[in-house]
Structure formats: C-alpha cells, structure tokens
C-alpha cells in the first residue's frame, strides 16, 4: 500500500498541509505501507527553491519521514510529454489555439446565461499541431466515485471542461502530472485537501482514457479559524516552522493537528504509536475543523511535562542556541530542565528561564528592583548572605532551612525573604522554587548576586 504527500512549492508548509501530510503518513504506517513525498513544481513561475527547502525542513521537524522522495516533478517532464503525445495520437487530446479574447467572450456569454463557464470544444476537430493541449472530456454520462471521507460523489461529464493538460510552451499542467505520477508511483490512496474535489472527476477521466486503475481518494475538509472563517495567517496558518520558533514540540503539534478533523472518542492525548493504531480515514469528519490556539498551548504544556528528557533537550537546544545560552557554563542542564518543565508553556519560555543558571547579569529589572529592594530589606539580605556563606553542603533543603530560620528569628513571613532573594537570584523575579533554584545556580553565583542586590540598595538609598 502506498500513499503520498504532494505539496506545490509555492509557499510554506502550513497547518493544513501538515495535517494532510500527517494523515497520509499515518495511513501508510497503519497499513505497513510506504509514504512518498513528491514536490509538484511544474508551475515554474510560482515554485521556488526556498519553498522546497521550507517544506523539507517542516517535514523533518515534524518527524514525518518518507520512504521515497523527495521526487521532483520537474525531473519527469519527458515522461509527462510522452503521455500527452500518446493521448494526442490516440485522439483523446487535441491542440487548441483559441485566442484569449475568444475564451473571454465565451466565458462572458455563458455567465450571462447563468451557465457554468466551460470550453466549447471549438478546436476539437481542427487537427491543429500547436497551441495548448486539451483533454477531450466525454460529453455524456457521469463520473462517480466513492470518497473515503465524503462518501459517494457524482459529477456530470456535461459540467466538465476539456481541460488544458499542456500549456502552449509544452509544459504539463497539474491535473495531468498528478495522474501520471500517482499511476507511475503505484499510489493506492490519494489523500488531499477537499479544495481538490472538483479536480478529481477530471483526473478520473484521464485515468480512464489512459486505461489505468484508479487509486482511492480521501478528501479532507478544510480548517477554519475559531471565528468560522477560512484559516488564514491571522489565525495561525503560518509556516509550520514558526511553531518550532515559538517553542512548540513537534509531537504536541502533531497531536494537535491529528485532532483537527479526526477523533477517537473523547481522547485528547495521542502518542505517535497510538495515532498509528487508531487512525482511520473513515473517522475523518466530513465538516471543517476549527483551529484553537489555546488547545495547542495546553497540549504543548502537557508534552513539555512528559517528554523523555533527552528528546526534550534535543528540541530545547535549538532555543538555547538561539538565545546564546551556553550550558557548559553552569549546572547540569538536565537538572535545570527537570526543575522548569512543570511550569513552562513553551520551549522559548523554558530557555528564557534557563538563562539565570548560565548567564550572569549586571542589572536587575528596574521596576521590580525599585519595589522590592527597599532599605528595610537590606539587613534581611545581609543576614541571608552570611548564613548561606556558612553552609558547607549546598542543597535545596539546607537553603530552605536557612530561609525558614531567618523568618523565625525576625518573625516575618516567607515572602519577606523569598521575594528579594528571588529577584537577586534571577534578575527578573522569575524562577521556580527559590531553594532549588539557588542550589542549581550554585553557591558562588548565589552569594555574588545577593551581594549585587545589597550594593543596589546601598546605591539607591
Ligand atoms: N500539489 C497539490 C497542492 O499542493 C496537491 C495535489 C494532490 O495532492 O493531488 O495543492
């Protein structure tokens, strides 16, 4: 069994494309089949190398590996031209040199009559030898197919155009190349967005004219924004790699997109192997799905909590590097991550919160410092500094005991020590549990940051 993902490199890989890719990938895995990546780059004007690169990177980041590919349609032009010639030679396709003016007039006339615009077959019998090539679509009967998602679908041939299969420069068009490729690559399941549903009867007629077996088709409903409008940039239909840059884990995103239009009872969390086990084309919803960023954040938080530490670190590294955080310069990163993973929504946030363990700073958040480092907390910080300096074993527990002892002796609440300590340690007031954080920051750094806070108070009082 073979399925494929066949993006056109005319833009980035976005949520909709990634979901189509995931469904086709899952279906291949579930059936112990093969998954093929084919880049549909015959539209030379709109296809770009950058877009190919972004699609490949997106697939790699998501972990959607392919058994074959990427296959570029631009490498297969001769094969398409051979098929086009054979269709011409067998009278199933013909050249057409109608002017744009004639086609425009035809279109206008039909629209005025309230009819669907359609080529009238004017050049069918002319035996021309140049121009665009049109497929001679049957005039009568219907095209009927059973879509794996939508059920039976029927189109009357009378509604279908004699479609252009080669442009005047000889370059083949999408509907021709897709049929030739899906046939040559032995594709059993064509899984794609339902924006292609109108192309399917045209393609089926081509299969029939060529005497080829049909694949099964599964047309996946589109994705809408929460406001019910078609998903756009405004809703998050951005390059899939921007989710990486915003700190999402690829498996959280996959978990999120598998649930866009597919469900298994009320289950929300699916490991990849569960997705493979449970996924079925027939369970894809017929209605459009809607995109909800809050749910994605919730899933990401869940995955950050539970992802195996080495895998988590692999993904975090990208963010540490982009924030120039050198983890050789401080505590074991695994310990830091274990300390932070329960309170990070994204990996960008986690990397941000790692900074205090590896990077010294030379100033405190000025608004916070003004509020927190008041003259009256100087003796508390001095007390803390000298008690901590005395500690011979630097553990969270010992540090905690020191804080408690100061609270008791001075008859003050925990926050009176904890709050200035946290700001001194982090520079921005953001940290996990203060004792564990201080342990990880290390004794020397903790003491020098406390000293810096004391100096701040001295200089500002
Ligand atoms: N290249 C087409 C697209 O990106 C997909 C074609 C298909 O899956 O049949 O929309």
């Amino acid at each position: 069994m073979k399925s494929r993902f066949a993006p056109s490199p005319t833009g980035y890989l976005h949520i909709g494309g990634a979901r189509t890719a995931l469904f086709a990938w899952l279906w291949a895995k579930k059936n112990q089949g093969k998954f093929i990546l084919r880049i549909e780059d015959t539209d030379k004007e709109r296809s770009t190398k950058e877009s190919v690169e972004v699609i490949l990177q997106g697939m790699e980041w998501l972990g959607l590996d392919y058994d074959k590919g990427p296959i570029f349609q631009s490498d297969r032009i001769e094969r398409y031209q051979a098929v086009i010639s054979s269709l011409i030679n067998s009278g199933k396709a013909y050249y057409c040199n109608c002017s744009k003016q004639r086609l425009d007039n035809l279109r206008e006339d039909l629209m005025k009559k309230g009819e669907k615009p359609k080529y009238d077959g004017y050049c069918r019998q002319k035996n021309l030898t140049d121009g665009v090539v049109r497929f001679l679509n049957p005039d009568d009967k219907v095209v009927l197919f059973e879509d794996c998602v939508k059920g039976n679908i029927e189109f009357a041939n009378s509604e279908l155009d004699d479609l252009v299969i080669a442009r005047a420069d000889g370059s083949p068009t999408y509907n021709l190349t897709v049929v030739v490729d899906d046939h040559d690559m032995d594709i059993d399941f064509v899984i794609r967005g339902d924006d292609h549903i109108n192309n399917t009867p045209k393609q089926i007629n081509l299969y029939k004219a060529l005497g080829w077996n049909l694949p099964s088709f599964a047309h996946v409903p589109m994705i809408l924004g929460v406001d019910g409008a078609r998903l756009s940039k405004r809703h998050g239909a951005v390059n899939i790699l921007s989710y990486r840059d915003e700190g999402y884990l690829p498996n959280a995103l996959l978990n999120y997109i598998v649930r866009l239009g597919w469900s298994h009872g009320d289950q929300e969390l699916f490991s990849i192997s569960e997705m493979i086990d449970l996924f079925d084309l027939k369970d894809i919803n017929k209605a459009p799905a809607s995109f909800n960023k809050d749910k994605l954040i919730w899933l990401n938080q869940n995955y950050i909590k539970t992802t195996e530490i080495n895998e988590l670190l692999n993904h975090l590294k990208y963010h540490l590097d982009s924030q120039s955080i050198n983890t050789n310069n401080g505590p074991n990163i695994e310990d830091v991550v274990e300390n932070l993973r329960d309170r990070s929504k994204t990996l960008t946030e986690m990397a941000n919160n790692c900074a205090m363990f590896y990077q010294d700073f030379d100033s405190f958040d000025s608004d916070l410092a003004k509020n927190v480092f008041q003259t009256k907390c100087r003796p508390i910080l001095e007390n803390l500094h000298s008690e901590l300096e005395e500690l011979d074993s630097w553990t969270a527990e010992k540090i905690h005991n020191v804080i408690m002892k100061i609270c008791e002796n001075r008859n003050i609440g925990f926050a009176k020590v904890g709050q200035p300590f946290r700001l001194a340690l982090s520079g921005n007031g953001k940290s996990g549990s203060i004792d564990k954080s201080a342990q990880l920051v290390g004794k020397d750094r903790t003491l020098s940051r406390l000293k810096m806070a004391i100096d701040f108070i001295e200089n500002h009082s």
Side-chain angles (χ1 to χ4, degrees):
M1 177 273 174
K2 284 193 191 132
S3 69
R4 53 44 163 203
F5 175 51
S8 304
T10 53
Y12 37 63
L13 179 62
H14 54 74
I15 284 278
R19 185 188 58 166
T20 305
L22 173 62
F23 285 0
W25 182 87
L26 287 172
W27 195 235
K29 297 270 168 207
K30 184 180 180 84
N31 292 289
Q32 280 107 39
K34 300 259 184 278
F35 174 64
I36 294 175
L37 177 64
R38 184 171 77 226
I39 304 289
E40 303 206 320
D41 59 346
T42 51
D43 183 343
K44 283 186 225 113
E45 270 163 33
R46 294 179 59 228
S47 302
T48 66
K49 280 210 177 73
E50 295 71 40
S51 171
V52 171
E53 206 34 56
V54 169
I55 291 169
L56 298 181
Q57 277 181 27
M59 295 290 283
E60 186 182 348
W61 178 67
L62 288 170
L64 299 178
D65 52 347
Y66 26 94
D67 301 291
K68 208 162 170 218
I71 297 170
F72 290 86
Q73 287 193 324
S74 52
D75 291 337
R76 290 175 42 78
I77 299 294
E78 281 176 18
R79 167 67 179 146
Y80 308 130
Q81 278 164 347
V83 174
I84 292 166
S85 300
S86 79
L87 284 167
I88 296 173
N89 293 338
S90 59
K92 291 171 180 161
Y94 61 93
Y95 283 104
C96 160
N97 62 5
C98 286
S99 64
K100 183 169 178 312
Q101 183 68 49
R102 179 174 188 277
L103 295 174
D104 286 349
N105 291 345
L106 182 63
R107 195 185 158 81
E108 229 171 84
D109 288 349
L110 288 170
M111 304 250 286
K112 263 191 217 143
K113 282 194 240 161
E115 287 175 33
K116 212 170 136 188
K118 183 186 154 200
Y119 183 62
D120 59 357
Y122 183 70
C123 293
R124 276 187 179 185
Q125 310 301 337
K126 286 180 145 183
N127 288 325
L128 298 169
T129 51
D130 63 1
V132 301
V133 179
R134 289 186 184 271
F135 172 63
L136 203 160
N137 196 77
D139 289 323
D140 53 4
K141 306 215 173 102
V142 295
V143 182
L144 178 72
F145 65 99
E146 194 189 341
D147 188 88
C148 303
V149 177
K150 303 199 175 229
N152 281 337
I153 296 188
E154 190 180 303
F155 284 86
N157 268 323
S158 58
E159 283 186 30
L160 303 176
D161 233 338
D162 276 359
L163 105 124
V164 173
I165 55 176
R167 301 179 186 94
D169 65 1
S171 63
T173 60
Y174 159 70
N175 279 301
L176 183 281
T177 56
V178 77
V179 168
V180 175
D181 283 352
D182 286 336
H183 166 265
D184 287 5
M185 293 165 200
D186 278 329
I187 300 299
D188 301 284
F189 285 88
V190 168
I191 299 167
R192 60 186 171 201
D194 68 0
D195 48 336
H196 282 291
I197 212 151
N198 290 334
N199 287 323
T200 306
K202 303 174 195 168
Q203 294 173 13
I204 290 178
N205 282 335
L206 273 167
Y207 276 99
K208 288 186 184 154
L210 289 160
W212 292 343
N213 289 335
L214 291 178
S216 297
F217 293 95
H219 288 95
V220 182
M222 61 182 159
I223 304 175
L224 305 178
V226 265
D227 55 2
R230 200 188 174 119
L231 198 65
S232 69
K233 257 191 189 170
R234 180 168 57 88
H235 300 107
V238 291
N239 183 352
I240 213 81
L241 292 171
S242 66
Y243 290 97
R244 172 195 64 189
D245 297 347
E246 285 174 31
Y248 292 93
L249 280 165
N251 285 4
L253 194 65
L254 289 175
N255 193 148
Y256 178 70
I257 59 185
V258 81
R259 287 283 291 99
L260 280 176
W262 173 83
S263 55
H264 179 75
D266 295 337
Q267 190 170 337
E268 289 291 359
L269 291 165
F270 296 89
S271 67
I272 299 291
S273 63
E274 267 179 311
M275 286 183 206
I276 295 172
D277 271 359
L278 300 171
F279 181 75
D280 200 320
L281 291 177
K282 72 174 172 33
D283 298 328
I284 295 177
N285 298 340
K286 289 187 179 47
S290 84
F291 182 85
N292 172 345
K293 191 138 187 195
D294 292 342
K295 188 143 160 216
L296 174 58
I297 294 174
W298 176 81
L299 278 166
N300 201 46
Q301 228 170 335
N302 252 289
Y303 274 80
I304 287 179
K305 274 187 201 153
T306 55
T307 295
E308 191 273 324
I309 185 79
N310 286 319
E311 192 185 333
L312 190 60
L313 283 173
N314 270 340
H315 292 293
L316 181 67
K317 185 163 184 325
Y318 174 84
H319 299 276
L320 293 169
D321 288 349
S322 59
Q323 294 186 32
S324 307
I325 296 172
N326 174 4
T327 57
N328 294 323
N329 182 25
N332 186 339
I333 181 69
E334 288 183 24
D335 296 336
V336 172
V337 166
E338 289 301 358
N339 187 41
L340 292 176
R341 64 154 97 204
D342 279 348
R343 22 173 242 103
S344 305
K345 289 198 186 79
T346 64
L347 295 179
T348 1
E349 186 183 320
M350 187 184 253
N352 259 327
N353 293 339
C354 282
M356 64 179 276
F357 301 101
Y358 302 101
Q359 292 175 339
D360 292 317
F361 44 87
D362 47 25
S363 64
F364 300 102
D365 176 284
S366 58
D367 287 342
L368 280 174
K370 238 182 271 157
N371 274 327
V372 175
F373 293 151
Q374 293 183 1
T375 317
K376 62 177 186 286
C377 85
R378 179 175 172 169
I380 300 175
L381 289 177
E382 282 170 346
N383 196 174
L384 188 60
H385 187 280
S386 65
E387 292 281 340
L388 291 175
E389 200 170 20
E390 292 303 304
L391 284 183
D392 41 21
S393 91
W394 189 254
T395 64
E397 196 191 348
K398 291 268 162 61
I399 298 165
H400 180 80
N401 292 343
V402 164
I403 301 173
M404 294 316 285
K405 192 169 129 197
I406 295 175
C407 291
E408 251 166 59
N409 289 348
R410 296 179 168 264
N411 197 20
I412 53 179
F414 187 88
K416 289 269 184 305
V417 187
Q419 198 190 25
F421 191 8
R422 188 183 303 281
L423 181 57
L425 204 58
S426 61
N428 61 13
K430 290 187 195 138
S431 81
S433 80
I434 187 72
D435 38 18
K436 184 72 192 167
S437 301
Q439 181 200 314
L440 288 167
V441 164
K443 186 170 180 178
D444 291 348
R445 271 187 164 147
T446 300
L447 293 176
S448 75
R449 290 180 193 180
L450 281 171
K451 178 79 177 54
M452 201 172 123
I454 295 163
D455 290 347
F456 177 96
I457 297 172
E458 184 169 323
N459 296 331
H460 290 82
S461 52

